Amino acid sequence: MDQLKLIKAVIGMAITAIVLLCVYSWMKGVPVFSIFQSKDKMERTATILRSIENTNRWVFLTIEDEEVEVIENVCKIYPAFYELGIEIKDTTTWYNIKKKKGEKVAHLTLPAIKILDSGGINDMNVINVYGEATPAVIKKMKKDAEIDMKNRALSESNMQQAKDNAFKHFKNLFMSLGCTDVKIDWKNE
């Protein structure tokens, strides 16, 4: 019988300790188990901030496209691959985290979204459907295909999709750092 009372007392003390820990964490506004992991969380936050600082190129939309060009009985299919994103290397301070009325707000000033790679057409993957062409005709066909595909890549809907993806990405990233709100201003708009 004494063992049963001892077990009940230990269980009661454990429940009381858990309840007190929960009340304490609730009053501090910190999840219960993060009280014991604050050093690990700070190191994770520092790692995230360092990686943000060191990342110069952010890709938000990848586009795979192809263009069929027909000139003078010659037909070629030009495949291309474009990455829409930003390069931050020219921007010294592109994000700022401020406390406002007890909340942390991240304010980002980002450069305009653009095509990050210079040439999207891979000459090794060009398919010659029919006909033979002179080097001048081939050069013109490739240039025309490149212009058409770049214009499609930079279409309003693709640019908006890239901006939406950027916002989602940065919002998740800065919210994981404890920010309650993220605002983005785009340069050159």
Side-chain angles (χ1 to χ4, degrees):
M1 205 55 144
D2 288 335
Q3 279 185 331
L4 187 58
K5 286 183 180 180
L6 181 64
I7 292 172
K8 285 182 180 179
V10 169
I11 291 174
M13 287 180 3
I15 290 173
T16 303
I18 291 171
V19 168
L20 288 174
L21 183 63
C22 289
V23 168
Y24 174 77
S25 69
W26 176 73
M27 290 173 64
K28 290 287 188 179
V30 178
V32 175
F33 295 106
S34 68
I35 293 171
F36 303 110
Q37 300 171 352
S38 62
K39 186 175 181 182
D40 293 339
K41 184 177 181 194
M42 287 189 322
E43 184 57 38
R44 181 178 60 93
T45 301
T47 302
I48 291 171
L49 286 171
R50 277 188 224 108
S51 68
I52 290 171
E53 285 291 326
N54 294 329
T55 303
N56 289 323
R57 190 173 198 228
W58 297 80
V59 176
F60 301 115
L61 186 63
T62 302
I63 299 166
E64 195 171 336
D65 197 2
E66 65 180 35
E67 179 72 17
V68 177
E69 286 291 322
V70 180
I71 296 179
E72 301 174 9
N73 296 324
V74 177
C75 180
K76 291 185 178 286
I77 301 173
Y78 291 91
F81 178 82
Y82 298 101
E83 293 177 333
L84 296 183
I86 58 175
E87 289 185 26
I88 302 186
K89 64 184 175 190
D90 300 328
T91 307
T92 54
T93 305
W94 61 274
Y95 74 91
N96 189 3
I97 300 174
K98 289 186 178 180
K99 282 193 172 185
K100 189 185 274 187
K101 297 179 184 174
E103 296 183 347
K104 283 198 285 186
V105 177
H107 187 207
L108 287 62
T109 303
L110 302 176
I113 290 180
K114 64 180 183 177
I115 294 176
L116 295 176
D117 46 9
S118 59
I121 293 178
N122 181 347
D123 291 330
M124 300 300 293
N125 294 331
V126 174
I127 299 172
N128 187 26
V129 179
Y130 60 82
E132 294 296 322
T134 65
V137 170
I138 291 172
K139 186 176 179 180
K140 181 181 178 357
M141 291 174 79
K142 181 179 177 180
K143 182 179 177 186
D144 291 347
E146 183 79 31
I147 289 170
D148 290 344
M149 289 187 286
K150 278 186 176 179
N151 286 338
R152 282 197 299 269
L154 295 170
S155 70
E156 191 175 319
S157 62
N158 284 344
M159 295 298 281
Q160 188 59 52
Q161 181 65 50
K163 284 181 181 180
D164 293 346
N165 292 346
F167 180 75
K168 288 175 193 171
H169 176 76
F170 283 122
K171 181 177 180 183
N172 288 337
L173 186 63
F174 282 93
M175 296 288 256
S176 74
L177 295 173
C179 293
T180 53
D181 195 14
V182 177
K183 299 189 183 312
I184 296 180
D185 290 328
W186 295 97
K187 287 184 179 178
N188 303 328
E189 288 193 353

